[in-house]
Amino acid sequence: MTTQQISDAELAGQPAAYWTGVAYEALIAYTRAQQAEKGYTQPQFWLLRNLSVNDISPDGEGMTLPELREAMVSYIRPEDDLAVEAEGLLERGWLTRDAEDRLRLTAEGEQARINLARNAPAIRAALHEGIDDEDYVTTVKVLQRLIRNAGGTVA
């Protein structure tokens, strides 16, 4: 589907699922490309965040790969291989693995998480170019209503 030469009335009749799917894939691809240019992957950043007591981890006590997969179930993609991603972080010295296979964030890993998080505002700014906050909020509210109408829950 394309929006070229389609009236607003025709556009209003197009399936939201199609457009949300296209948007999702484009946004993920853009974000991941920007992160790759900086030398890391989105799953690696998620691992760092989930293991940081200063971010998502409730206790900073480390997690196994199955525990991390479960923690990320709502946003990890099928092609994401957390074992491979974790190995890359272990090689960088950003994670350690204990005798029970729990991954833990190192001091270097925590600093890397902080540094990598600094890339997010530029990615957001590029994606939001030409979209004012009022339009963005309206779009999110419409998406939330679509989710509720479909029987889903909005966090």
Side-chain angles (χ1 to χ4, degrees), residues 10 42 49 62 64 99 105-106 116 148 152:
E10 291 171 317
Q42 191 172 47
R49 293 192 65 207
T64 64
L105 197 59
T106 64
L116 299 178
R148 285 191 297 273

Side-chain angles (χ1 to χ4, degrees), residues 25-36:
E25 292 300 328
L27 295 170
I28 293 294
Y30 179 84
T31 300
R32 289 183 173 211
Q34 295 304 302
Q35 291 170 328

